[in-house]
Amino acid sequence: MSKLNLTLKVWRQKNANDRGHVDTYDAKDIPLEASFLEMLDIVNERIINDGGNPINFDHDCREGICGMCSLTINGIPHSKEQGITTCQLHMRKFKDGETIWIEPFRAKAFPVVKDLITDRSAFDRIMAAGGYIDVRTGAAPDANSMPIEKKLADEAFDAAACIGCGACVAACKNASAMLFVSAKAAHLNKLPQGQAEKTKRTLAMVKQMDDEGFGNCTNQYECEAVCPKEISVDNIAKLNRDYFLATAKDTVA
Ligand code: FES
């Protein structure tokens, strides 16, 4: 069989103030080679042809890079397939006749904008709180002028792979953003270039995370399980250590 006939149960919500509800759609003759977002495109085309309102969902790169395609599929952010974003999920992973539940990411800090689209600008504000440096960097230095231990370079690079999709928050029962914040802090805090403002950065990012209303981490590790970039919870342990030291230094100062 090269085509699937599916039933979609989709969360529809007009705006942030609407209570929202689930609508049912028949998704007939869906090609196996279509991506999940292409399947939604096909369904939307049919809804529009029938004079209805298309299902609103976020997307940009459709290549697993931007982190925009944030959906919960059958209760799991980005689906039960590991190490991929929704846009990298293909319909061959589903069975003919299956019912698929599609909902937005659920978290107080990610309010629903419309249907499946959530406002994840809280992540941008956390990045802005800690992401800047205020030293004059001048021209780009020669790549080899500051030797960096291979292990540290690899760990920093792995942490920097976080695309900020928010799946970690959506999967956590506490809606904690610790995996995201720890990855963003770690990719700078691990490198020699990131040491000068490590204390300031760590305190500012954690404060902003708390101000945005994210919950506390209770080491459930659901975040690591759903992360499309497989960011390690080791980063959370590092952030906890950095935060403890930063708080002590700040108190002494
Ligand atoms: S649309 Fe960019 S990661 Fe999915």
Side-chain angles (χ1 to χ4, degrees), residues 3 6 44 51 63 66 81 89 113 139 148 151-152 160 179-180 190 211 225 227-228 230 239 243 245:
K3 301 263 171 116
L6 305 159
N44 269 347
E63 292 181 341
C66 71
E81 302 300 323
L89 175 67
V113 176
I148 300 170
K151 184 173 172 292
L152 284 183
L179 192 67
F180 165 78
K190 279 180 183 277
D211 289 351
C227 176
E230 301 181 323
L239 180 61
Y243 184 72
L245 286 173

Side-chain angles (χ1 to χ4, degrees), residues 37 58-70 78 85-88 163 165 228-229:
L37 297 188
D58 251 341
H59 61 96
D60 190 359
C61 70
R62 298 201 177 202
E63 292 181 341
I65 300 167
C66 71
M68 291 298 288
C69 56
S70 298
H78 298 301
T85 53
T86 298
C87 62
Q88 295 173 299
I163 54 174
C165 65
K229 298 300 166 185

Side-chain angles (χ1 to χ4, degrees), residues 112-159:
V112 172
V113 176
K114 192 169 186 183
D115 294 342
L116 306 170
I117 300 175
T118 53
D119 178 358
R120 297 191 302 282
S121 57
F123 273 10
D124 298 334
R125 291 188 288 275
I126 293 171
M127 290 290 289
Y132 299 127
I133 57 166
D134 50 26
V135 291
R136 291 179 67 82
T137 54
D142 186 79
N144 294 326
S145 64
M146 187 178 286
I148 300 170
E149 194 187 320
K150 172 86 168 76
K151 184 173 172 292
L152 284 183
D154 286 349
E155 286 173 1
F157 192 81
D158 287 348

Side-chain angles (χ1 to χ4, degrees), residues 37-77:
L37 297 188
E38 285 165 348
M39 180 275 291
L40 288 177
D41 289 339
I42 293 168
V43 171
N44 269 347
E45 230 171 81
R46 293 171 188 169
I47 293 174
I48 292 167
N49 285 340
D50 292 344
N53 282 322
I55 301 160
N56 291 266
F57 61 96
D58 251 341
H59 61 96
D60 190 359
C61 70
R62 298 201 177 202
E63 292 181 341
I65 300 167
C66 71
M68 291 298 288
C69 56
S70 298
L71 300 177
T72 299
I73 300 167
N74 290 334
I76 304 174

